[in-house]
């Protein structure tokens, strides 16, 4: 299963980050709030680029990091987490806006049939 790190009081150490990525190496993504908006960056497919980006946001608390292990779908940047919560939930890699974002652990099938 994926690893979701909710960093509220402190950022992850480099060792913690590397352990998460090493055990779930199918990509990672991050989300945080900035200036009243939700920010998201995802699609980091190697440890070095993921850590380099994380160093730029790690002191913005709270933030969330997701380390993916494939359970469904391809191993690709677009299927890393988070996902924008919206009617169309576009598979974009960068987002700044008012919609919340979703990190999950597992698979949610047939979701289209459950939308009112």
């Amino acid at each position: 299963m994926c690893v979701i790190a909710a960093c509220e009081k402190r950022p992850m150490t480099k060792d913690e980050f590397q352990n998460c990525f090493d055990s779930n190496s199918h990509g990672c993504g991050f989300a945080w709030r900035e200036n009243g908006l939700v920010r998201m960056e995802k699609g980091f497919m190697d440890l070095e680029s993921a850590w380099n980006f994380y160093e730029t946001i790690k002191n913005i608390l709270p933030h969330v990091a997701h380390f993916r292990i494939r359970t469904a779908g391809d191993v690709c940047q677009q299927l890393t987490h988070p996902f924008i919560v919206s009617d169309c939930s576009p598979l974009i890699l960068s987002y700044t806006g008012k919609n919340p974002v979703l990190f999950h652990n597992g698979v949610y099938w047939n979701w289209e049939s459950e939308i009112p």
Side-chain angles (χ1 to χ4, degrees), residues 44-103:
F44 299 95
M45 303 305 286
D46 64 89
L47 176 61
E48 184 178 0
S49 66
W51 176 254
N52 287 342
F53 181 79
Y54 185 68
E55 283 195 299
T56 70
I57 64 147
K58 70 181 184 181
N59 292 316
I60 301 171
L61 296 172
H63 63 263
V64 179
H66 183 279
F67 301 86
R68 182 174 187 242
I69 192 77
R70 181 195 171 283
T71 55
D74 294 330
V75 174
C76 63
Q77 290 179 303
Q78 291 80 7
L79 294 182
T80 57
H81 301 206
F83 299 101
I84 300 166
V85 177
S86 71
D87 289 340
C88 62
S89 192
L91 296 178
I92 58 176
L93 303 180
S94 182
Y95 172 74
T96 300
K98 295 188 177 198
N99 285 31
V101 295
L102 172 71
F103 297 87

Side-chain angles (χ1 to χ4, degrees), residues 3 13-14 16 19 21 24-25 28 31-32 44 59 66 68 76 79 81-83 87 90 93-94 96 104 109 115:
V3 172
T13 66
K14 189 168 187 175
E16 290 168 334
N19 286 339
F21 196 94
N24 291 61
S25 60
C28 73
W32 66 98
F44 299 95
N59 292 316
H66 183 279
R68 182 174 187 242
C76 63
L79 294 182
H81 301 206
F83 299 101
D87 289 340
L93 303 180
S94 182
T96 300
H104 65 86
W109 296 102
I115 296 176

